[in-house]
């Protein structure tokens, strides 16, 4: 097989391989990839493709993508769902599976997810279960999905018992991260995705965090820095996924900022008017570093640097920044206790000894969390 | 680990290993296994078990099984669904996943399917997707599920586009086939399962088919022949599954009798008052052998032997035996063409050169099928 990087269609792009044995695939990152998606996807050997998208993204890009696929002789259909987190439901799963089966997608054919993380998670799950598994391609259209949700094979829907509680591990056959698609993304969504970009530096790559501090404006503006940031994030996530595909250990580091973040999402009832996932993560990252500092694990100056950078990029970093408030310390602790990372009463956090030095800290006592949150909620501090 | 066969709880039983690498498991076959299920299931290291059952089976056996589990300190819950094929739906999937999550089943814990193939397929699928996969144990309670559906890891639900079109490959951690549970099974269900038992002989084991001819009454009566027949069927199915876990080749042999059988089920609208799956399979087996004979592949005497044995066991063997009729030749061909085994216009059949000598025959021309069905529908023949 010709290495994908050696092919010459369209503009130049970066290839990030995800070496997962017989489930290995490439992530291509670059501007304009969607225009040449036809040849790349046809090369996977499918005869038909069912595009899954949402009502924001479909009108902008589904025609372009469908045209590119049809031009290569792929029988193409499109199913369009309402945008938003509520779309990650059993009812949508049924709708997408029905559309995939109606489109006579066979085991060799493809489901193509064209959208943000909501569409990627839903369409990937439908691909995992329709005919007990058909292949799928991710064409992520948000920064968050390009740097996070489209990589790693976690797919799923939400349950009344919590987010992402029903799903499958199902790796895509190809990820096309066309960074030009982000030009139409609302800036708030751009920022939310950026919190995950910064997270990769904070986890284990101080150099990348420094690069972010120097180059974040280019990421937002759509210069070559954007492609670099997406590619580097994908490399970071791919490396963790390859070490721990089914999330039994290491992969938990990716949850840096997420224990607090998820609690805030829960408290704001997943109301995106109040808080989107990436905003919760941004506050969570700042809290994880301040908590690490409070525990004497991490220099306070590192926690300050984290907060300063996220703020510069327009992200919230304090509990007080949650529109409508975030309740009491008990509300927060309750919301955290519902998180799946809670085992046997004690809380597991991802903490840090400094920027780029995060680690899994199981068995953090509730008392320590409580007094930290007390100080965070104290208006004299925030 | 102690080999399970060496353990002494309860009466003696037969162990059939399914050597699938890191997904290997044992099938235990014997009378009274449910009473000692607690120790066996506790040995898997779970702390909680969610039993999934139906309204026929639950009242008979769920209390016994739950008691056995609770006696071993497993936190146990029961969710009971309506009996019947309609239960293999998205709505039931949601109900079971909700129950599993409400019972706080974690990745190390268990879903336990207590019922026939409907419950096994549904609960297995829920286990595959709840928290992106928890372990499950099959306690099959019909002959069909003991010899067929509980072995091999195919799980799923039905879609408006066809049966079993949405699901997952998810191997159980243990199968407990308690043959005493079949004592309460309606004889019609017993016969339907028996068609699958006979099928294993017909596929590739003439000796087993001869054994069936001599011993089938003991299988129905519940003597040691029943355990033998279940164990031998499980061995046969396990061998095929191990060769072809994800149904890319060989596993298709298990569909002997099923191309015709599925068409008949479709024509009778899956109305179990008219035809249950195993009855369709019985007619399908007889047809597959007569078709093989008509094509000059198989001695007519073998086809007659197949029909004679299935009839002796009280099973239908002719299109004319379908209550309410089976429509015209075109109806049958249409119904067959909808089957997933149809590729590129030509029909794939499982045919036989004799009893125990089945093979995959792709590309059978519709004309040949048509003239065979014509002769079968001709009242002067049947
Ligand atoms: N699978 C994983 O590993 C993983 C990881 C992180 C997050 N997630 C999931 O991802 C989801 C969040 O993803 P998201 O932030 O991409 O949200 P999203 O999919 O809801 O997209 C955000 C909004 O942007 C719109 N949009 C998308 N692309 C656009 C474009 N190019 N131009 C204009 N508008 C566009 C969407 O219609 C939507 O309104 C959550 O459900 C979360 O659970 C999954
Ligand atoms: N996963 C696979 O590989 C596979 C293989 C073959 C069939 N199947 C599926 O299996 C299903 C059919 O399974 P089935 O024939 O077991 O049907 P079933 O589960 O509907 O059970 C048949 C009937 O018997 C009742 N019953 C079950 N056990 C009983 C007992 N011990 N005493 C009294 N009543 C009892 C049930 O309530 C039901 O009414 C179909 O949905 C088919 O698609 C799956």
């Amino acid at each position: 097989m010709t290495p994908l990087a050696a092919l010459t269609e369209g503009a130049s792009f970066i290839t990030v391989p995800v070496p997962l044995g017989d489930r290995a695939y490439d992530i291509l990152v670059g501007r304009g990839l969607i225009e040449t998606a036809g040849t790349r996807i046809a090369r996977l050997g499918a005869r038909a493709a069912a595009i899954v998208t949402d009502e924001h993204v479909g009108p902008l890009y589904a025609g372009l993508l469908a045209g590119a696929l049809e031009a290569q002789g792929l029988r193409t259909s499109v199913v369009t769902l309402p945008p938003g987190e509520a779309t990650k439901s059993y009812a949508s799963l049924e709708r997408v599976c029905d559309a995939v089966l109606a489109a006579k997608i066979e085991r060799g054919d493809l489901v193509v997810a064209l959208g943000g993380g909501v569409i990627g998670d839903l369409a990937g799950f439908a691909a995992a279960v329709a005919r007990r598994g058909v292949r799928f391609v991710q064409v992520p259209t948000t920064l968050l999905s390009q740097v996070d949700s489209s990589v790693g094979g976690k797919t799923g829907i939400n349950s009344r018992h919590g987010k992402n509680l029903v799903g499958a591990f199902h790796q895509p056959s190809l990820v096309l991260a066309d960074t030009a698609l982000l030009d139409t993304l609302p800036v708030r969504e751009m920022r939310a995705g950026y919190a995950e970009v910064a997270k990769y530096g904070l986890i284990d790559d101080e150099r990348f965090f420094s690069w972010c501090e120097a180059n974040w404006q280019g990421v937002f503006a759509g210069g070559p820095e954007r492609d670099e940031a997406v590619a580097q994030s994908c490399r970071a996530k791919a490396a963790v996924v390859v070490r721990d595909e089914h999330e039994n250990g290491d992969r938990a580091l990716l949850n840096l900022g997420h224990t607090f973040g998820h609690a805030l999402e829960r408290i704001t009832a997943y109301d995106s008017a109040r808080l989107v996932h990436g905003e919760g993560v941004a506050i969570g990252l700042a809290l994880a570093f301040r908590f690490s500092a409070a525990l004497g694990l991490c220099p306070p100056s590192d926690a300050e640097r984290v907060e300063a950078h996220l703020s510069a990029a327009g992200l919230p970093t304090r509990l007080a920044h949650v529109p409508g408030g975030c309740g009491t310390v008990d509300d927060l602790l309750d919301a955290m206790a519902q998180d799946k990372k809670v085992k046997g009463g004690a809380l597991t956090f991802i903490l840090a000894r400094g920027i780029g030095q995060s680690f899994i800290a199981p068995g953090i006592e509730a008392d320590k969390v409580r007094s930290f949150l007390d100080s965070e909620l104290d208006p004299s501090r925030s």
Side-chain angles (χ1 to χ4, degrees), chain A:
Chain A
M1 219 183 72
T2 329
L4 281 169
L7 302 167
T8 50
E9 300 96 337
S12 78
F13 56 86
I14 307 171
T15 301
V16 179
V18 186
L20 277 171
D22 59 359
R23 292 177 307 291
Y25 57 96
D26 283 334
I27 304 166
L28 310 192
V29 181
R31 291 189 80 87
L33 280 169
I34 199 177
E35 276 133 59
T36 55
T39 22
R40 293 179 212 296
I41 290 177
R43 211 170 285 135
L44 297 172
R47 291 175 308 172
I51 298 173
V52 183
T53 190
D54 76 20
E55 286 160 11
H56 289 156
V57 179
L60 293 170
Y61 305 114
L64 198 62
L65 181 59
L69 295 178
E70 277 158 6
Q72 295 299 318
L74 276 118
R75 186 163 41 79
T76 304
S77 58
V78 180
V79 54
T80 308
L81 293 119
E85 190 66 32
T87 288
K88 279 172 60 175
S89 66
Y90 289 92
S92 302
L93 176 71
E94 178 166 4
R95 222 181 119 190
V96 176
C97 285
D98 273 349
V100 167
L101 294 168
K104 298 205 181 300
I105 298 297
E106 305 261 338
R107 284 235 201 130
D109 298 328
L110 291 166
V111 170
V112 181
L114 174 69
V118 164
I119 290 299
D121 282 12
L122 172 68
F125 187 31
V129 300
R131 296 189 182 278
R132 295 201 187 88
V134 297
R135 296 184 300 165
F136 85 116
V137 170
Q138 293 268 22
V139 184
T141 67
T142 62
L143 181 56
L144 180 119
S145 56
Q146 294 192 349
V147 302
D148 187 357
S149 63
S150 71
V151 183
K154 275 168 72 173
T155 71
I157 57 175
N158 302 325
S159 131
R160 80 193 67 207
H161 295 282
K163 272 192 64 172
N164 300 321
L165 284 178
V166 174
F169 287 97
H170 190 52
Q171 300 291 345
S173 298
L174 178 68
V175 180
L176 296 178
D178 184 337
T179 48
L181 305 190
L182 306 185
D183 293 347
T184 54
L185 195 66
V187 65
R188 187 173 171 210
E189 296 292 348
M190 194 69 195
R191 286 177 180 145
Y194 186 74
E196 302 281 358
V197 173
K199 183 190 75 175
Y200 293 113
L202 296 175
I203 290 175
D204 63 359
D205 190 351
E206 198 273 335
R207 261 171 36 117
F208 181 52
F209 188 75
S210 299
W211 182 93
C212 286
E213 289 175 312
N215 294 285
W216 69 272
Q217 282 156 313
V219 178
F220 279 74
E225 297 88 351
R226 183 186 285 173
D227 294 10
E228 252 323 310
V230 171
Q232 184 55 28
S233 299
C234 290
R235 280 181 208 111
K237 177 143 184 190
V240 178
V241 167
V242 166
R243 282 203 303 275
D244 179 19
E245 186 177 359
H246 293 131
E247 200 162 30
N248 299 311
D250 252 19
R251 191 158 170 169
L253 286 179
L254 295 173
N255 283 324
L256 179 63
H258 283 61
T259 305
F260 290 118
H262 285 156
L264 293 174
E265 283 184 273
R266 201 167 283 131
I267 281 176
T268 54
Y270 300 98
D271 175 357
S272 61
R274 289 175 67 189
L275 199 75
V276 299
H277 176 72
E279 291 166 346
V281 170
I283 299 175
L285 289 170
L287 288 173
F289 273 81
R290 284 202 296 275
F291 188 30
S292 299
L295 293 172
L297 293 164
C298 159
S301 58
D302 276 17
E304 282 153 26
R305 211 176 131 198
V306 172
E307 175 162 13
H309 178 52
L310 296 173
S311 296
L315 282 159
T317 57
R318 298 258 160 195
L319 292 175
H321 296 162
V322 176
C326 64
T328 65
V329 170
D330 282 318
D331 296 337
L332 283 164
L333 285 171
D334 274 0
M336 273 188 262
Q338 281 174 49
D339 210 73
K340 26 181 184 177
K341 283 176 293 303
V342 181
K343 285 243 166 75
L347 288 157
T348 295
F349 278 87
I350 317 298
L351 297 177
R353 300 209 164 77
I355 287 169
Q357 299 174 53
S358 71
F359 63 100
I360 301 170
I364 298 287
E365 299 140 40
D367 270 6
K368 298 219 163 116
V369 189
R370 174 181 298 279
S371 64
F372 169 67
L373 289 174
D374 266 332
S375 71
E376 287 286 318
L377 279 173
D378 178 350
S380 70
R381 274 212 44 180
S382 57

